[in-house]
Amino acid sequence: MSAQADRVMDLSEWEGRWQEGRIGFHQLHVHKMLESNIDKILCGRKGIRVFFPLCGKAVDMKWLADMGHSVVGVEISEKGIKEFFEDHI
């Protein structure tokens, strides 16, 4: 088992990573697994609700919204939220 398997990041550490620009977890493109499995997720449904906890500025949210789905993202970092809207307006 890896040394970080049970590690929990506290809110201040998460916010600190955003403030310092250490967001290596952010991807510039829609996650390949989401893209390749979207039909399995949707099962033919239209206009589903999708929840993104600690969403950051995930481009997946815009991609799903552009497909007509209702997307709710929750993020504690104000910087992450602002960057999402700056990138997509």
Side-chain angles (χ1 to χ4, degrees):
M1 182 181 285
S2 83
Q4 293 202 6
D6 295 323
R7 185 176 180 281
V8 175
M9 185 182 299
D10 67 28
L11 299 180
S12 63
E13 183 180 359
W14 181 260
E15 179 62 26
R17 289 181 68 107
W18 275 99
Q19 293 306 318
E20 296 164 11
R22 292 186 303 126
I23 55 168
F25 46 82
H26 175 69
Q27 297 184 17
L28 297 175
H29 305 285
V30 174
H31 196 287
K32 295 294 180 198
M33 287 185 70
L34 175 60
E35 210 169 23
S36 64
N37 290 290
I38 192 66
D39 291 336
K40 293 174 189 166
I41 295 166
L42 297 177
C43 297
R45 299 173 294 170
K46 305 235 184 264
I48 66 167
R49 262 186 242 160
V50 184
F51 177 59
F52 281 81
L54 293 175
C55 61
K57 55 181 185 174
V59 297
D60 312 69
M61 295 188 297
K62 172 107 171 48
W63 182 70
L64 288 165
D66 287 348
M67 293 170 67
H69 303 294
S70 176
V71 177
V72 175
V74 175
E75 176 58 62
I76 64 160
S77 171
E78 183 177 347
K79 183 174 183 181
I81 296 166
K82 285 180 177 179
E83 288 184 16
F84 175 82
F85 286 102
E86 288 168 359
D87 291 349
H88 298 291
I89 291 182

